[in-house]
Amino acid sequence: MTTDGPASFAPIPETGRHLASATTRGALRIQGRLLSAAREFLRDEGFTELLPPIIGPVTDPGSRGSKQVDVDFYGHRYKLMTSAILYKQASLLAFDKIFCIAPNVRLEPLETAGTSRHLAEFHQLDVEVAGASRDDAVRLVERLVVHMVDSTVRDLPKEFAELGRDTGAFAELLKGSFGRMRHAEAVAELRDAGHPQSPDAELDWAGEALLSARRDRPFFVTDYPKGSRGFYDREHPEQPGLLRNFDLIAAEGYGELCSGSQRTNDYAEIVTRMRETGENPQKYRWYLDLVREGVPGSAGFGIGVERLTRYVAGLDAVWQASAFPKVAGVVSP
């Protein structure tokens, strides 16, 4: 098995022992406070919380090698959501600022069972803002994560102590200025370290962990190459071939926490990008009809709830941040 986090993969115990574990209780209390703090922050910023769909005729096609799950919806082939991205954009027709805590299902490759950071069923804190730029979204993520971590550390000292998590690890994070590097810079650093990262692809899991382990605060990787992400990420107008997007990578080897971008809302551009990535525009008819009618330009992001919990709580594996974890290839309740 491979590992890409600060600790080796640990097998999932049977459900009763997992739920009764002091580690599980502490992690889920921390997770609950993180989400409460997120709601406090976003509502104070004027956001409206929506309940996201669980199934739809299409879902996000950009899911890093995982498979989508089909369901029969009264004779029609629907998908379980792998991401709420298309519905977030559509929701801006109702509100300028929205967020949701969205369940997602992705059948990850079997080899991810040993990475300590992949779940087949997980949740995202999804945020979208009409009229925002990529840099607006980056600044919002930074402020949001600082508030979430600060509130949780202050309110749950007992839980952190019981888990053995040194909250001093967040000293740089709580200063509120995360690091930034472009994708090309990340590729250069990884290659200098002997890691064979492709300059034309997303950072691979091992590469993210390597960069993460070298830093004491979260940092953003920006400007991924066109073709490495979905058709909805806006291309740089002055730098063709680069996208106005980002990932947030945790410190201490925990890897990616969040992905986001400025979105394109140009109908012709979206159709062209769909075809470039091998997608059939006809499948996305409802979405393209809304874009043609005038979906606003926006920027947004999704924070992995279980991944953030793992990092903040200092857990060995992401499944420890779920009450009923689903890991690739492991049959479980």
Side-chain angles (χ1 to χ4, degrees), residues 69-138:
V69 179
D70 293 336
V71 296
D72 181 356
F73 185 66
Y74 299 100
H76 296 271
R77 186 178 178 182
Y78 271 44
K79 306 284 187 183
L80 291 181
M81 288 295 106
T82 62
S83 163
I85 172 60
L86 305 182
Y87 293 90
K88 289 197 297 179
Q89 288 181 273
S91 298
L92 297 178
L93 293 168
F95 303 100
D96 289 340
K97 296 179 171 183
I98 64 98
F99 77 96
C100 56
I101 298 171
N104 297 279
V105 175
R106 299 178 186 175
L107 297 184
E108 298 283 359
L110 288 175
E111 58 266 26
T112 65
T115 65
S116 300
R117 49 172 297 218
H118 287 87
L119 291 170
E121 178 186 75
F122 63 97
H123 296 79
Q124 284 190 163
L125 172 59
D126 274 308
V127 178
E128 199 75 15
V129 183
S133 68
R134 189 273 307 278
D135 293 337
D136 292 332
V138 164

Side-chain angles (χ1 to χ4, degrees), residues 3-184:
T3 62
D4 62 355
S8 299
F9 173 74
I12 302 174
E14 58 89 21
T15 302
R17 284 197 297 119
H18 174 59
L19 290 171
S21 163
T23 297
T24 303
R25 290 196 299 271
L28 295 182
R29 288 192 188 106
I30 286 172
Q31 184 176 98
R33 186 65 191 101
L34 288 168
L35 292 176
S36 293
R39 284 189 165 104
E40 295 161 4
F41 177 90
L42 291 168
R43 286 169 180 161
D44 286 347
E45 292 283 320
F47 283 79
T48 298
E49 182 173 5
L50 299 181
L51 297 176
I54 297 173
I55 62 171
V58 291
T59 186
D60 180 3
S63 48
R64 269 194 174 184
S66 63
K67 294 181 180 179
Q68 299 174 358
V69 179
D70 293 336
V71 296
D72 181 356
F73 185 66
Y74 299 100
H76 296 271
R77 186 178 178 182
Y78 271 44
K79 306 284 187 183
L80 291 181
M81 288 295 106
T82 62
S83 163
I85 172 60
L86 305 182
Y87 293 90
K88 289 197 297 179
Q89 288 181 273
S91 298
L92 297 178
L93 293 168
F95 303 100
D96 289 340
K97 296 179 171 183
I98 64 98
F99 77 96
C100 56
I101 298 171
N104 297 279
V105 175
R106 299 178 186 175
L107 297 184
E108 298 283 359
L110 288 175
E111 58 266 26
T112 65
T115 65
S116 300
R117 49 172 297 218
H118 287 87
L119 291 170
E121 178 186 75
F122 63 97
H123 296 79
Q124 284 190 163
L125 172 59
D126 274 308
V127 178
E128 199 75 15
V129 183
S133 68
R134 189 273 307 278
D135 293 337
D136 292 332
V138 164
R139 287 189 289 268
L140 180 61
V141 172
E142 197 169 64
R143 294 170 54 225
L144 172 60
V145 169
V146 168
H147 178 80
M148 293 170 73
V149 174
D150 183 50
S151 297
T152 305
V153 167
R154 284 189 288 105
D155 289 353
L156 299 178
K158 179 181 176 183
E159 282 72 11
F160 284 99
E162 290 175 345
L163 289 169
R165 179 56 159 151
D166 178 10
T167 56
F170 307 124
E172 292 300 314
L173 180 156
L174 294 175
K175 292 178 181 178
S177 180
F178 298 171
R180 285 165 173 74
M181 66 191 312
R182 304 184 80 187
H183 177 270

